[in-house]
Amino acid sequence: MTSLLKYSASYFRTTMELGVLDFTLTFLALRPPGPRQVPILGNILQIPVDSAWKVYQGWGRQFGSDIVYLSGLGMNIIVLNSLEATSELFDKRSQIYNDRPHSILLHDLVGFDWTMLFTHYGQRFKDMRKALQQEFNSGRVMNYQDSQIDAVHELLQELLCQPKRFNKAFRGMASKIVMKSAYGIDIQSENDEYVRIAEKGLEILTTSVGQGIPLIDILPILRHLPAWFPGMGTKRQAREWRQCADLMRSMPFDNVKARIASGETLQCAASSLLENSKGTDYEEDVIRSALGSMYAGAADTVTYMLSWFVLAMVLYPQVQQKAQREIDEIIGRGRLPIFADRQRLPYINAIYNECLRWHPVIELSFPHRLMEDDVYKGYFLPQGSLVFGNAHAILHDEDVYPNPKQFMPERFLRVDGSWNPDARDPSVAFGFGRRICPGRFIARETLWIAIASILSSFTISAARDENGKELIPDEAHLPGGIVSPAPFKCNIKPRSTDHEALILATQRKE
Ligand code: HEM
């Protein structure tokens, strides 16, 4: 009965707003195609958990539609499988497609409502976005190049000493860059207290979203049960998590404030934003929350992206050799790459683009929430739907990127090896509309200099078994919203003693 009333209300509101033509559509309630529903549960049991992006891409092909629809228990899911659909809805109709769904677990119980990722679309969200845009736009990120170079040189040293722990080294580099650029904090060791808290907060976030939609969000009535009630473990755990979630944003920010108060001059986003604010509690909260969102945005994404890069180098040794020939020719063997080299290294730039395209670490975007009823290509899209952009489907569209499973940097170059401005940029790997990743420019700088420096210094190759036979890893991945390759073994060795000396020289300089 309630759903019938809800349906009628949305039906009348829509018909009044959309006019007579759409009145008919709404009446017919022509939804986009999707798998067949079962009574009561609808498609609930068909919502894919593993490799969802591939399943949605497959349904799109099966139904001949770039938009796929699932629904059940009052929840509607819309997946957009083409750039045409994501541009039309997320960009051109951005006023209504850029909210986030409300989660009882994350917003109300754990208290993650402050993070930008979950903030509802509105003034506070726009102010947070403006703050990050101001400090991390494409020009401004140049200010952080020195600290990025330092962090990448430390990464090279780590890879030299402990090549098997490459993922840990990538994570350490990402942490250092975020903490330094956001708060001017120098991370000295992996046991650093700020990193420990940020990692704990991130772990809570990924644990709570990583297992699909929490039961309490599917059946909100459960929130009224007491925490001691059997099966209410989530509620008990949420209480413990809450304190850590808040420390994640307040601890490094309070450190900045204390240092400014003691007269220290800092070069970081927090001090710059505080300096340019009027000092109201609201502004401080916006700055604290926007910067507090960065660690969670950066740590896994940057680490996994570099991990996929290492896997690509193992699987495609000819790409690595070509990249090293370019580096040797343009930079020589006497120094490490710097940002000023970028324009002259088209093949390295193409590798960076191909890494984004081959395995975009967020294959299926985080859900956007549709704020009003809408109509697209004659389909009625109900208010409150969760709308996902399928980056994987767009970046593996065979018409745009032939042979999409292949790691092929050449697709971004002309036949003569120069940059091809007509090749489609893989930037949807950073998301859609007004939710597009606010850290994309600093991410691009970080990834580029890391890729160029690793290729310039090391040879990455397949590990071998006791008989000397190469162990070629497959392209498996771990489950999760941010997708990491499944653990694999490889060798990472300096290209020569001269290259090793170059890496060690960066250490002595400090
Ligand atoms: C490989 C690097 C990265 C990739 C591929 C990536 C990708 C993404 C994607 C796909 C989204 C969701 C967009 C959507 O919902 O449509 C996102 C959101 C976000 N990213 Fe990144 N990101 C990366 C690095 C970073 C870094 C370095 C930072 C911060 C310094 C960052 C901060 C954020 C934040 C705060 C959000 C939430 C934005 C919102 O909900 O409005 N990301 N990112």
Side-chain angles (χ1 to χ4, degrees):
M1 183 63 186
T2 326
S3 60
L4 190 68
L5 284 173
K6 259 197 211 153
Y7 179 77
S8 326
S10 100
Y11 164 70
F12 278 113
R13 190 179 51 252
T14 316
T15 49
M16 288 176 70
E17 281 169 11
L18 299 178
V20 179
L21 175 68
D22 296 320
F23 178 95
T24 327
L25 284 170
T26 313
F27 182 71
L28 293 171
L30 188 62
R31 304 291 203 268
R36 188 185 288 272
Q37 302 191 355
V38 298
I40 304 174
L41 290 178
N43 299 114
I44 285 293
L45 301 177
Q46 288 151 298
I47 296 174
V49 179
D50 188 31
S51 303
W53 51 93
K54 281 193 195 152
V55 180
Y56 289 124
Q57 185 189 31
W59 278 331
R61 284 187 186 134
Q62 184 184 336
F63 303 124
S65 167
D66 63 351
I67 174 166
V68 171
Y69 177 80
L70 279 81
S71 75
L73 299 181
M75 186 169 54
N76 302 307
I77 292 178
I78 295 166
V79 181
L80 308 176
N81 279 332
S82 75
L83 191 62
E84 185 199 351
T86 56
S87 309
E88 176 59 39
L89 302 185
F90 290 139
D91 295 330
K92 296 199 187 128
R93 305 185 197 178
S94 64
Q95 284 300 332
I96 58 170
Y97 276 89
N98 285 306
D99 193 14
R100 292 281 190 216
H102 191 84
S103 158
I104 294 173
L105 177 66
L106 289 161
H107 287 85
D108 304 339
L109 299 181
V110 183
F112 262 133
D113 48 343
W114 60 263
T115 66
M116 193 152 167
L117 184 61
F118 301 129
T119 300
H120 289 297
Y121 189 68
Q123 196 52 47
R124 187 167 177 278
F125 168 75
K126 289 181 190 167
D127 290 337
M128 283 165 83
R129 204 163 173 88
K130 198 166 144 201
L132 289 189
Q133 169 66 15
Q134 197 175 309
E135 288 304 314
F136 295 97
N137 61 47
S138 60
R140 193 81 177 175
V141 286
M142 307 255 224
N143 292 352
Y144 305 116
Q145 286 184 346
D146 286 349
S147 51
Q148 283 174 309
I149 292 265
D150 288 346
V152 167
H153 289 175
E154 283 168 32
L155 165 74
L156 300 181
Q157 292 155 27
E158 290 266 328
L159 292 176
L160 192 61
C161 301
Q162 295 189 308
K164 303 252 173 290
R165 298 172 72 191
F166 56 92
N167 275 324
K168 198 157 170 290
F170 294 151
R171 208 172 184 84
M173 179 203 69
S175 314
K176 283 175 196 159
I177 292 172
V178 171
M179 288 299 178
K180 183 75 180 171
S181 59
Y183 307 107
I185 293 177
D186 282 306
I187 300 299
Q188 300 300 349
S189 81
E190 59 190 73
N191 302 321
D192 183 280
E193 187 61 2
Y194 295 102
V195 173
R196 201 185 58 75
I197 290 288
E199 282 291 328
K200 181 78 192 145
L202 182 55
E203 189 191 319
I204 292 171
L205 205 103
T206 39
T207 312
S208 30
V209 289
Q211 291 141 6
I213 303 167
L215 187 63
I216 206 160
D217 281 322
I218 297 177
L219 296 171
I221 195 155
L222 293 180
R223 72 175 302 173
H224 301 296
L225 293 177
W228 52 261
F229 200 80
M232 282 293 93
T234 315
K235 221 172 159 182
R236 284 193 296 279
Q237 198 155 41
R239 272 194 200 150
E240 289 164 30
W241 285 349
R242 201 176 175 93
Q243 197 191 5
C244 185
D246 199 58
L247 270 183
M248 186 181 183
R249 70 169 170 160
S250 57
M251 213 168 96
F253 188 75
D254 291 346
N255 167 295
V256 172
K257 281 182 61 188
R259 281 150 72 208
I260 293 175
S262 71
E264 208 178 314
T265 313
L266 296 175
Q267 289 230 319
C268 61
S271 68
S272 160
L273 287 166
L274 282 171
E275 218 169 84
N276 293 313
S277 82
K278 295 195 188 80
T280 63
D281 288 350
Y282 170 76
E283 279 174 306
E284 199 167 286
D285 176 61
V286 163
I287 300 169
R288 185 193 292 114
S289 304
L291 296 175
S293 311
M294 285 178 56
Y295 193 94
D300 286 347
T301 49
V302 169
T303 304
Y304 298 165
M305 193 89 217
L306 287 173
S307 203
W308 284 112
F309 155 72
V310 170
L311 182 63
M313 294 305 104
V314 173
L315 298 178
Y316 297 87
Q318 74 287 1
V319 169
Q320 181 173 202
Q321 284 153 15
K322 204 164 163 184
Q324 290 175 333
R325 276 201 299 277
E326 179 177 82
I327 290 174
D328 291 349
E329 215 170 279
I330 304 294
I331 300 180
R333 291 176 154 231
R335 67 170 174 87
L336 289 164
I338 51 173
F339 284 101
D341 296 321
R342 184 155 39 187
Q343 291 306 321
R344 298 184 304 144
L345 296 171
Y347 199 69
I348 305 297
N349 298 336
I351 289 182
Y352 162 74
N353 263 16
E354 185 64 347
C355 284
L356 283 181
R357 188 207 67 80
W358 187 53
H359 279 284
V361 290
I362 303 184
E363 307 248 15
L364 190 69
S365 80
F366 300 129
H368 293 220
R369 180 184 167 275
L370 176 56
M371 296 162 80
E372 290 172 15
D373 293 335
D374 197 16
V375 172
Y376 174 67
K377 286 190 175 172
Y379 296 124
F380 174 68
L381 312 182
Q383 178 192 18
S385 298
L386 306 183
V387 190
F388 294 83
N390 192 345
H392 172 89
I394 297 170
L395 295 171
H396 283 235
D397 176 346
E398 279 170 282
D399 294 337
V400 183
Y401 303 109
N403 205 355
K405 286 191 181 151
Q406 197 79 6
F407 187 88
M408 218 162 64
E410 288 76 7
R411 61 176 94 243
F412 294 102
L413 301 173
R414 291 200 181 108
V415 183
D416 67 1
S418 63
W419 190 250
N420 179 4
D422 300 327
R424 192 195 278 169
D425 186 72
S427 56
V428 293
F430 286 113
F432 304 94
R434 294 193 190 170
R435 288 286 176 174
I436 193 169
C437 175
R440 63 197 181 283
F441 299 114
I442 195 159
R444 182 190 62 194
E445 304 287 291
T446 302
L447 292 164
W448 185 85
I449 193 71
I451 289 172
S453 306
I454 293 169
L455 285 170
S456 139
S457 312
F458 295 98
T459 297
I460 301 169
S461 59
R464 290 175 187 272
D465 67 13
E466 58 278 15
N467 302 317
K469 191 171 169 286
E470 278 193 337
L471 300 166
I472 303 294
D474 54 21
E475 264 182 64
H477 63 83
L478 296 179
I482 306 179
V483 185
S484 151
F488 61 93
K489 290 188 178 148
C490 67
N491 290 322
I492 301 181
K493 292 190 176 148
R495 292 177 63 202
S496 69
T497 46
D498 288 349
H499 289 99
E500 186 173 345
L502 266 184
I503 299 169
L504 292 172
T506 63
Q507 196 176 26
R508 275 199 292 274
K509 216 165 54 188
E510 284 170 24

